[in-house]
Amino acid sequence: MEQFKSSKSDGKSDELLLSQYNESKDLGLLGDVYQRHTEMIYYVCFRYFKDSERSKDAVMQIFEELILKVDRQEIKNFQKWIYVVAKNHCLMALRADKSQKVDFSESFVEFSVAPHLEEDYATKEDRLQAMERCIEKLPEKQKIAIQLFFLQERCYKDITTLTGYSMDGVKSYIQNGKRNLKQCIEKEQDV
């Protein structure tokens, strides 16, 4: 991932770098913005693929998509936007994989397990989507703490440094966030 590094971005916000990229079309600037978020993008992909190499490949593929998409959209918060791009990339890849699971060769068994696999996949995807919707419904401090702790795998100390929350606050936001998340997901599954 080091190939995205350049010194042009020192201390500049994502939005400023995107603005400079839009004016100059200097891929180094776009790479600088992307580099800041590659770890988060990797973990988003890993959450879906459960495969390190496939997740690393996806990080590179998403950068290629980014080059095409960044010109076509107004991006107000790059981190949130690229998170959605990464999530959608993974979901599309998993959907494409699902369509390749059925074997129509001569050895195809009449009572295939493919419908069962499809149900498992749909159930898992539904649960992931419910979890993402529920994370968005959390109070802001809980949402931030949950995303940093679980999605970005940050420790309590890192979260206190990044957010300015107290250590007790971080622990409370994570504990309450987990409880609220669980309740929300259970409600969504009952519907």
Side-chain angles (χ1 to χ4, degrees), residues 161-179:
T161 303
L162 289 168
T163 62
Y165 304 155
S166 69
M167 182 65 76
D168 288 340
V170 168
K171 291 177 183 177
S172 174
Y173 299 140
I174 291 171
Q175 182 179 1
N176 292 333
K178 282 178 18 182
R179 184 187 65 243

Side-chain angles (χ1 to χ4, degrees), residues 40 52 60 69 98 102 112 126 141 154 173 188:
M40 180 266 301
S52 180
M60 298 304 296
K69 290 181 177 184
K98 179 177 80 169
V102 179
S112 171
D126 290 344
K141 290 181 179 181
R154 301 292 184 129
Y173 299 140
E188 286 216 3

Side-chain angles (χ1 to χ4, degrees), residues 5-58:
K5 285 262 189 221
S6 101
S7 60
K8 298 176 190 173
S9 67
D10 295 340
K12 295 180 182 176
S13 70
D14 291 348
E15 290 70 29
L16 179 59
L17 287 172
L18 283 174
S19 174
Q20 290 176 342
Y21 166 74
N22 284 330
E23 291 172 13
S24 69
K25 300 302 180 205
D26 178 356
L27 283 178
L29 292 168
L30 188 59
D32 288 347
V33 177
Y34 191 71
Q35 175 63 35
R36 294 175 179 181
H37 304 283
T38 54
E39 186 177 349
M40 180 266 301
I41 295 164
Y42 170 81
Y43 284 113
V44 168
C45 294
F46 189 78
R47 189 176 88 207
Y48 286 97
F49 297 142
K50 306 284 189 254
D51 179 284
S52 180
E53 288 305 311
R54 186 170 181 191
S55 299
K56 288 176 187 174
D57 289 345

Side-chain angles (χ1 to χ4, degrees), residues 77-188:
N77 182 323
F78 184 79
Q79 183 173 1
K80 287 182 181 179
W81 181 80
I82 197 65
Y83 172 84
V84 171
V85 169
K87 178 186 80 163
N88 289 342
H89 174 89
C90 295
L91 289 173
M92 294 302 289
L94 289 172
R95 285 184 185 122
D97 288 352
K98 179 177 80 169
S99 67
Q100 297 172 5
K101 286 195 190 302
V102 179
D103 177 13
F104 290 106
S105 66
E106 289 178 22
S107 63
F108 181 71
V109 180
E110 185 176 322
F111 300 103
S112 171
V113 295
H116 177 68
L117 291 174
E118 241 175 69
E119 287 172 18
D120 286 349
Y121 173 80
T123 303
K124 185 176 183 179
E125 185 175 348
D126 290 344
R127 281 195 309 259
L128 285 170
Q129 289 176 349
M131 182 183 70
E132 288 167 354
R133 283 190 301 273
C134 288
I135 287 174
E136 290 302 315
K137 293 177 185 177
L138 291 173
E140 191 64 22
K141 290 181 179 181
Q142 289 178 15
K143 178 169 64 170
I144 291 168
I146 290 288
Q147 288 173 330
L148 289 170
F149 188 72
F150 290 104
L151 300 181
Q152 295 185 24
E153 298 183 344
R154 301 292 184 129
C155 66
Y156 289 158
K157 185 178 179 187
D158 286 350
I159 296 171
T160 61
T161 303
L162 289 168
T163 62
Y165 304 155
S166 69
M167 182 65 76
D168 288 340
V170 168
K171 291 177 183 177
S172 174
Y173 299 140
I174 291 171
Q175 182 179 1
N176 292 333
K178 282 178 18 182
R179 184 187 65 243
N180 291 337
L181 200 55
K182 182 178 182 220
Q183 290 170 350
C184 177
I185 291 170
E186 288 171 354
K187 279 183 195 172
E188 286 216 3

